[in-house]
Amino acid sequence: MTQSLTLRRPDDWHLHLRDGAMLRAVLPETARHFARAIIMPNLVPPVVTGEQAAGYRDRILAALPEGMTFEPLMTLYLTEETDPDDVSAAAESGLVKAVKLYPAGATTNSASGVRDFDKVRGVLDRMAEIGLPLCVHGEVTDAEIDIFDREAVFIDRVLDPIRQATPGLRVVMEHITTENGVDYVKSAEKDLGATITAHHLVINRNHILVGGIRPHYYCLPVAKRESHRLALVAAATGGDARFFLGTDSAPHTDANKESACGCAGCFTATNCMSVLAEVFDREGALDRLEGFASLHGPAFYKLPANDATITLTKGEPVTYPDRIDSGEGPVTVFDPGFPLHWRVD
């Protein structure tokens, strides 16, 4: 029996679009379903000033195919040299919606990130003053910390001290992967939210390692134990407005994924909404999908929800391409490992 579900057009609160040929290839995959997205600033070189953010926004809009509507929500890459006045001006103009904190070396193109958090205290204080959110990649990078523990240690060692020292700072924990992250967000009465990716709702660390190394499931933060995946599913489908969708869709060419030192990232823009509908359907929570994908994020960022709608229809399995051509090489589309019965009409 065919079922349908209509919801406000969703937004993506964590997206990598890259630049150049890759940008032109992957942008339509997002704009097909999503109205807006928080755009990650970890280009090479990174987007660190309002002027650079404006230039990147213009390149994104120039790459948007005719007939598609999409609004890029720009961010600045936090460095130890970031100017609080530049941040304020970019936010006041409406250009920049958040600042991104990468601990140095935590993920792709994060070498310019923060090592000494005392050096960004002035920026964080200004952000708290003007209400500009800080998006954090929540992992420590200390060599002695096990990669599966880096999120939990980050909460205790970095994030909680930052929040305690900067009252009023609004923080988004991006792409949480652990029960620790879920519990920490739930412990906050205000000023803290978290994004959850589609792929972390589907895969655990076995998907990466069992039966051979599966590079297209390798991402950072790395997928954790099954118990953590289940905690993420419960958080995403539970209706709590502190949790919302951020795909962290991260395109890399197959050559860069399938190498001796493969890049981290899952490319989910193409089939994300079908994957989410399948997950929520299995949990008997389809009535909460609109909140997770379309309402909770705008509420946290103090933006209106979209007026336009999309409709998902359940029927025979949907076929998506295995990969797309980026102009730089093929990019593999995330494979959830099960049939997808929900299509976006």
Side-chain angles (χ1 to χ4, degrees), residues 99-121:
V99 171
K100 178 63 182 277
L101 166 62
Y102 290 103
T107 188
T108 302
N109 299 340
S110 63
S112 301
V114 176
R115 298 182 188 277
D116 183 350
F117 287 90
D118 287 337
K119 293 183 178 178
V120 297
R121 179 66 52 208

Side-chain angles (χ1 to χ4, degrees), residues 25-343:
V26 302
L27 176 58
E29 302 300 298
T30 287
R32 190 173 294 120
H33 299 155
F34 294 92
R36 299 170 292 197
I38 286 282
I39 308 301
M40 291 296 100
N42 59 332
L43 304 182
V44 180
V47 179
V48 298
T49 68
E51 182 179 5
Q52 291 168 346
Y56 188 25
R57 177 200 57 192
D58 291 347
R59 295 196 299 277
I60 293 169
L61 293 175
L64 187 67
E66 186 175 353
M68 283 188 163
T69 58
F70 176 75
E71 181 182 1
L73 306 175
M74 308 309 295
T75 64
L76 297 180
Y77 188 118
L78 182 63
T79 74
E80 294 173 6
E81 289 75 42
T82 294
D83 179 0
D85 291 337
D86 184 63
V87 171
S88 291
E92 185 177 352
S93 72
L95 169 67
V96 164
K97 303 301 183 186
V99 171
K100 178 63 182 277
L101 166 62
Y102 290 103
T107 188
T108 302
N109 299 340
S110 63
S112 301
V114 176
R115 298 182 188 277
D116 183 350
F117 287 90
D118 287 337
K119 293 183 178 178
V120 297
R121 179 66 52 208
V123 179
L124 299 181
D125 288 342
R126 182 71 63 85
M127 290 172 62
E129 180 183 325
I130 65 177
L132 186 67
L134 176 71
C135 298
V136 299
H137 180 110
E139 292 187 290
V140 295
T141 56
D142 309 57
E144 71 272 14
I145 304 298
D146 189 287
I147 192 169
F148 293 104
D149 298 329
R150 288 180 173 183
E151 183 173 294
V153 173
F154 179 87
I155 293 170
D156 293 337
R157 187 182 292 180
V158 179
L159 181 56
D160 196 59
I162 284 176
R163 295 184 61 241
Q164 296 292 337
T166 320
L169 181 65
R170 306 180 66 241
V171 176
V172 179
M173 290 182 66
E174 294 191 311
H175 48 44
I176 59 171
T177 59
T178 62
E179 188 174 7
N180 311 71
V182 170
D183 290 343
Y184 184 69
V185 172
K186 287 182 175 180
S187 74
E189 295 182 1
K190 62 179 181 177
D191 296 331
L192 183 62
T195 59
I196 302 175
T197 76
H199 56 278
H200 284 120
L201 294 175
V202 171
I203 64 171
N204 61 38
R205 62 190 189 181
N206 282 1
H207 290 82
I208 308 171
L209 298 170
V210 172
I213 295 175
R214 309 297 175 93
H216 295 287
Y217 290 143
Y218 171 59
C219 56
L220 287 173
V222 69
K224 307 298 194 297
R225 291 180 180 273
E226 175 66 1
S227 59
H228 293 296
R229 186 191 71 83
L230 293 174
L232 296 177
V233 171
T237 63
D240 190 324
R242 290 171 289 192
F243 300 100
F244 41 94
L245 174 63
T247 68
D248 193 21
S249 182
H252 296 283
T253 64
D254 287 355
N256 285 325
K257 289 289 291 180
E258 300 169 1
S259 71
C261 186
C263 294
C266 296
F267 179 64
T268 58
T270 301
N271 58 1
C272 176
M273 291 308 300
S274 291
V275 172
L276 287 178
E278 203 76 31
V279 171
F280 276 69
D281 194 4
R282 290 181 177 185
E283 296 298 312
L286 282 172
D287 59 322
R288 295 172 177 168
L289 178 56
E290 183 178 50
F292 179 71
S294 310
L295 302 178
H296 300 169
F300 187 91
Y301 278 90
K302 299 183 178 180
L303 295 171
N306 297 306
D307 291 328
T309 62
I310 65 170
T311 297
L312 296 105
T313 302
K314 185 179 183 180
E316 293 299 315
V318 188
T319 299
Y320 287 99
D322 293 333
R323 54 188 56 83
I324 66 167
D325 181 14
S326 72
E328 300 175 2
V331 175
T332 289
V333 175
F334 176 73
D335 177 7
F338 48 75
L340 299 174
H341 298 90
W342 289 90
R343 71 174 65 244

